[in-house]
Amino acid sequence: MTTPTPTPPPTLLVLDAEPLPRLGRLTGRARIEHADEKSLAERLPHADVLLVWDFASHAVRKAWPGDGPRPRWVHTASAGVDHLMCPELAASDTVVTNARGVFDQPIAEYVAALVLAMAKDLPTTLRLQGERTWRHRESMRVAGTRACVVGSGPIGRAIAGTLKALGITTALVGRTARTGVHGPGELDRLLARADWVVAAAPLTDDTRGMFDARRFGVMQPSARFVNVGRGQLVVEDDLAEALTRRWIAGAALDVLSHEPLASDSPLWRVPDLIISPHMSGDTIGWRDELGAQFVELYESWAAGEPLANVVDKKRGYVPGH
């Protein structure tokens, strides 16, 4: 009697970044291979699944249009998918998923910390402490102020909920108006009343450069602006001018158009601007959470079950929020 040849496990290709993901639970259930930016194009045709662990890389966008078959499923260990989308991937049958759910509350906490830091003038306090200078000041009470959060996905909703817990009246703006969410046509009206404006939208053709000189001109002179979405949501030269001319009172950027920000960038010298290195969602243990999330998704995929966090490739985000 002939023994049937066992079916080989699917090939999982990982676009590497250090430290590597912990995928021990997939031992024997996936043939795990690794690629970097140089070898990705060569290895793509042989993969059933692609894990974009290096979510800051644009290698997928460059390699995907090549010859040969492509993975049936691509997962990126990030909330945004703009770094990997290209017309060929968008038009393909490949399923794309993201890391929705891992970063929501950490980013909301980070935004709340920035709001409190600016309201209580903590940057000045730390500077004066370094100078050994005692200078009494008054600070702002956040309870009773208004916030406009642009982006109604899970991250935007978590930000809105956290700001509300601080007593801040919060309006949420999304792609379409619905219960609890304002449409884009109301954005300017809400910006004109907001003490805090938070950008948490995905990067799409509609949102690219949406915060420009006109939008900063709509805001109150006392308003503060925070971007935890994508750097390209903001025309950074316009923001620099708005701060320099005191059109708005302050801003914080955790994401920038070009990362890392060059040491000679004029943004470092803009008054009342807090710059952080794209760290708002990166809490202790976040990589382990990302790895565990992917393993759970892989188990669903291998069992033929529906995948969570499926991205609408034309819109550039997970629909339904």
Side-chain angles (χ1 to χ4, degrees), residues 142-163:
V142 298
T145 60
R146 296 176 181 270
C148 175
V149 178
V150 183
S152 60
I155 292 174
R157 294 200 302 270
I159 292 169
T162 302
L163 294 183

Side-chain angles (χ1 to χ4, degrees), residues 14-21 34-36 52-57 287:
V14 182
L15 180 60
D16 286 344
E18 294 292 342
L20 296 176
H34 298 269
D36 56 19
V52 185
W53 190 247
D54 185 359
F55 53 80
S57 171
R287 291 183 179 88

Side-chain angles (χ1 to χ4, degrees), residues 76-142:
T76 178
S78 61
V81 299
D82 51 278
H83 59 289
L84 58 85
M85 294 305 297
C86 62
E88 292 81 2
L89 175 54
S92 72
D93 294 331
T94 297
V95 175
V96 175
T97 57
N98 71 355
R100 183 175 69 158
V102 172
F103 301 108
D104 306 354
Q105 194 56 38
I107 292 178
E109 292 173 4
Y110 200 87
V111 170
L114 289 170
V115 166
L116 289 170
M118 288 188 280
K120 305 307 178 184
D121 198 21
L122 292 185
T124 301
T125 296
L126 294 173
R127 177 177 59 81
L128 292 174
Q129 180 179 345
E131 299 170 359
R132 301 184 183 183
T133 300
W134 181 282
R135 184 185 303 165
H136 181 267
R137 288 137 26 241
E138 295 178 347
S139 65
M140 177 182 179
R141 180 185 296 186
V142 298

Side-chain angles (χ1 to χ4, degrees), residues 166-180:
L166 294 175
I168 300 173
T169 301
T170 305
L172 197 58
V173 179
R175 183 173 179 269
T176 57
R178 54 196 182 278
T179 303

Side-chain angles (χ1 to χ4, degrees), residues 103-111 114 155 226-229 254-255 276-283:
F103 301 108
D104 306 354
Q105 194 56 38
I107 292 178
E109 292 173 4
Y110 200 87
V111 170
L114 289 170
I155 292 174
V226 176
N227 186 16
V228 290
D254 183 58
V255 288
S276 54
H278 203 150
M279 59 181 285
S280 61
D282 301 349
T283 52

Side-chain angles (χ1 to χ4, degrees), residues 290-311:
L290 288 172
Q293 180 189 54
F294 173 73
V295 169
E296 291 180 6
L297 287 170
Y298 184 92
E299 290 172 342
S300 295
W301 177 81
E305 299 171 353
L307 283 169
N309 293 5
V310 174
V311 173

Side-chain angles (χ1 to χ4, degrees), residues 5-24:
T5 303
T7 302
T11 298
L12 165 60
L13 182 62
V14 182
L15 180 60
D16 286 344
E18 294 292 342
L20 296 176
R22 297 183 180 181
L23 303 175

